[in-house]
DNA sequence: TTACCCCAACTGGTCTTACCAAAAGTATTG
DNA sequence: CAATACTTTTGGTAAGACCAGTTGGGGTAA
């Protein structure tokens, strides 16, 4: 009976990870609370956690919370240099186009109602904030919006990839935005409209439409940069 | 302090395995005794054991003792059919020639004095028993002698390999012995002499000599079979 | 307001004790 | 000698206590 509890706990946690409820970096419930919820001793919980840790799913530190791990990390450990060349930025945007399309697709498909509400709220806040702020903050707000979409996709691979992508290529993305803003003085109408279209498609739960809009949005940005 | 104990215990066990003191199939000390010996809680011991189990070093069953595992097992899981054809038997003997040579070498090099005594005792017993017994028992006695040499080699890879070898190819080996005995009516003098030479070389702790004799011993058997 | 620091609560790490369940060993019995 | 029943041993689980870091919030000072 207790052995099945251990398996149940393990499976539950793995499911949460696989389904994107426990995204990389998110903290797991404490051992004590899990023991309580699953009606098992903390001892048994620890053994499950240790197993998951050993398999590279979670990260455990004394005192701190246990965290879900981004398993793609090791695949990105090559080449620390973040290129700022034009060709590299174009490459980044090409990859991002695919990524954004898929995350938008799965977000529209899988996001919970609460997540959609939160997304709408963040979107409105982004519109407000956009009026008078530094380029850096605008870029951050932009990324936050896109990251929320990614996190609501409940797609482990996409979430992991997005995290690393934004972490690693933030400078490149910021550069693009900076260049674009410098040229137009403000967000081009195209970009604002595209954000709006993406958001509407997601809220309407139209996955294919969301994918199309998101992909086009990035490719539009790419064309702007390319025209330099 | 306790963390270092865990690492120490883990390293100690792994060392014992690597050095052939804990051969595959051998049982480990109980959790309670290890906790006592290493001055740590049984809890901590269990975590170490579980780690080793997860990495495939040991096998744990409730009630029974924990056992060291033969990690080569999975590499030998192909082809269940034990061929008794001549060509296959010759192949087996060729592989065995190398194996016996190496085990004899490391046995002469690394065996403890107690192990050499036990080997001498087994050798004498084998000589006595050889006089009037079934072919099957003679084959078993022969394999026991060779297996003792392998176990005294303190060479994890050779021990693991020998175990699987004898387990899997016992029938083939028995067949060879049976054919040989049928033809000569008894152990050929060559074989007895070779056993004697191997044993003496090991007891004299002359590794190269032991390897030479052991290899020659098997190749001699192989030639006998080949001459069929 | 902002930045910093400190302390209480929280979380993982370990130890102890007790009891259960399965295997292994031992004595008994046919 | 073999089969059986009993006892011991061993791993599995639980509960409680305490230690050792981390976290986060409130207070203080700049």
């Amino acid at each position: 009976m207790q052995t099945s509890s251990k398996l149940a706990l393990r499976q539950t946690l793995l499911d949460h990870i696989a389904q994107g409820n426990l995204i990389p970096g998110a903290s797991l419930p404490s051992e004590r609370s899990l023991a309580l919820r699953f009606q098992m001793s903390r001892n048994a919980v620890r053994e499950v956690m240790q197993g998951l840790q050993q398999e590279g799913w979670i990260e455990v530190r004394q005192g701190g919370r246990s965290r879900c791990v981004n398993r793609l990390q090791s695949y990105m450990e090559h080449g620390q240099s973040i290129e700022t060349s034009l060709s590299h930025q174009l490459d980044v945007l090409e990859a991002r186009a695919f990524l954004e399309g898929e995350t938008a697709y799965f977000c529209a498909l899988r996001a919970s109602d609460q997540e959609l509400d939160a997304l709408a709220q963040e979107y409105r806040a982004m519109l407000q904030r956009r009026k008078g702020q530094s380029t850096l903050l605008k870029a951050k707000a932009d990324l936050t919006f896109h990251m929320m979409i990614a996190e609501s996709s409940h797609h482990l691979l996409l979430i992991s990839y997005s995290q690393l992508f934004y972490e690693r290529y933030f400078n490149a993305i910021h550069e693009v935005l900076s260049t674009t803003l410098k040229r137009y003085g403000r967000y081009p109408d195209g970009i604002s409209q595209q954000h709006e279209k993406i958001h509407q498609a997601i809220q309407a739960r139209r996955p294919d439409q969301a994918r199309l809009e998101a992909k086009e949005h990035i490719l539009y940005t790419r064309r702007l940069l390319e025209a330099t």
Side-chain angles (χ1 to χ4, degrees), chain A:
Chain A
M1 166 134 183
Q2 274 64 26
T3 296
S4 74
S5 285
K6 277 170 67 171
L7 286 179
L9 170 57
R10 177 188 161 81
Q11 201 52 52
T12 301
L13 291 176
L14 282 178
D15 286 348
H16 275 69
I17 293 173
Q19 293 166 11
N21 299 324
L22 275 176
I23 68 173
S27 54
L28 278 68
S30 71
E31 296 175 350
R32 288 173 176 82
S33 67
L34 284 177
L36 199 65
R37 177 153 18 128
F38 282 79
Q39 286 294 299
M40 53 202 292
S41 73
R42 206 184 131 208
N43 223 331
V45 174
R46 298 196 84 248
E47 292 184 357
V48 172
M49 304 277 276
Q50 229 165 311
L52 293 176
Q53 179 187 24
Q54 198 154 5
E55 292 166 36
W57 289 109
I58 66 176
E59 181 187 41
V60 179
R61 325 184 331 274
Q62 177 173 358
R65 293 184 175 83
S66 298
R67 297 182 176 286
C68 190
V69 158
N70 191 325
R71 307 187 93 210
L72 291 182
Q73 197 94 51
S74 56
Y75 296 112
M76 302 286 276
E77 299 288 320
H78 51 79
Q80 288 294 345
S81 66
I82 295 178
E83 300 287 347
T84 52
S85 68
L86 179 62
S87 67
H88 183 260
Q89 288 182 13
L90 291 176
D91 287 349
V92 167
L93 284 178
E94 193 170 329
R96 197 182 157 195
F98 166 77
L99 195 62
E100 293 292 339
E102 295 308 305
T103 54
Y105 176 88
F106 284 103
C107 176
L109 198 64
R110 300 180 178 175
S112 69
D113 292 339
Q114 291 79 3
E115 286 169 332
L116 286 189
D117 289 346
L119 185 64
Q121 191 172 342
E122 175 62 27
Y123 179 67
R124 286 193 297 272
M126 185 175 71
L127 289 182
Q128 293 301 324
R129 257 187 271 123
R130 185 166 286 167
K131 286 167 182 168
Q133 269 180 333
S134 69
T135 309
L136 183 65
L137 286 180
K138 285 180 184 174
K140 279 188 178 174
D142 197 281
L143 289 186
T144 300
F145 178 64
H146 286 292
M147 200 61 219
M148 280 188 74
I149 295 177
E151 291 182 357
S152 299
S153 73
H154 294 263
H155 190 302
L156 177 59
L157 187 61
L158 288 179
I159 295 172
S160 302
Y161 198 44
S162 296
Q163 278 187 353
L164 294 172
F165 190 89
Y166 288 131
E167 183 180 331
R168 170 158 297 259
Y169 295 113
F170 176 78
N171 286 343
I173 294 171
H174 176 231
E175 186 80 10
V176 173
L177 207 59
S178 185
T179 306
T180 305
L181 285 174
K182 208 168 293 170
R183 178 122 48 94
Y184 295 88
R186 59 183 180 88
Y187 259 60
D189 291 335
I191 290 185
S192 297
Q193 288 171 12
Q194 288 154 14
H195 275 166
E196 174 67 22
K197 283 183 181 174
I198 296 172
H199 185 231
Q200 283 185 358
I202 288 176
Q203 292 291 345
R205 290 198 178 281
R206 299 174 61 187
D208 290 304
Q209 181 72 13
R211 170 158 51 195
L212 197 68
E213 300 293 352
K215 199 166 178 177
E216 174 54 31
H217 164 52
I218 303 298
L219 290 180
Y220 174 79
T221 310
R222 188 175 185 276
R223 281 196 297 275
L224 283 184
L225 183 68
E226 205 171 16
T228 308

